[in-house]
Amino acid sequence: MLPKYTKAFTEPFENGEIAYYLTESEITTEEGAFIRFGVMVEKSDGDRAEVLDIYGDRIRTEALLDKLRRGLVTPITLKDVVSDAICADELAGV
């Protein structure tokens, strides 16, 4: 299944805007098929980045997406910020 993109937020940024998307993908493993959620960030100038497989929980991914929006995370920093969030969850035992 190709990723499904749902625009969640748009924020003004510099001379344009940044759009934040929730992604939904089906991942197939030896144990079966699973729905995984991720995020994409796209600036109005066309610069974009995505991380497709972050959590299996939509609500948890939406909360991360809201943090990205509030922090005005750009495509350049997206992967680092997501990695930091995952590490923080692991350290917290989530």
Side-chain angles (χ1 to χ4, degrees):
M1 168 177 141
L2 292 174
K4 176 182 168 186
Y5 298 87
T6 304
K7 187 185 280 188
F9 307 104
T10 303
E11 294 291 332
F13 184 77
E14 294 175 348
N15 294 326
E17 49 187 34
I18 300 179
Y20 297 88
Y21 294 81
L22 177 73
T23 68
E24 182 177 339
S25 304
E26 184 175 314
I27 306 297
T28 304
T29 68
E30 292 176 1
E31 289 87 29
F34 302 92
I35 299 297
R36 300 292 292 177
F37 298 95
V39 297
M40 182 178 79
V41 176
E42 182 176 39
K43 288 175 51 180
S44 53
D45 68 3
D47 188 20
R48 73 180 199 184
E50 63 187 6
V51 181
L52 296 178
D53 182 3
I54 302 173
Y55 299 119
D57 182 337
R58 181 185 186 107
I59 293 171
R60 194 171 173 191
T61 311
E62 288 172 341
L64 173 61
L65 193 57
D66 186 54
K67 288 179 185 177
L68 298 175
R69 175 193 60 85
R70 286 185 282 122
L72 285 177
V73 171
T74 64
I76 291 173
T77 59
L78 177 65
K79 291 180 182 179
D80 289 331
V81 173
V82 169
S83 177
D84 289 348
I86 292 169
C87 289
D89 286 349
E90 288 179 11
L91 288 173
V94 178

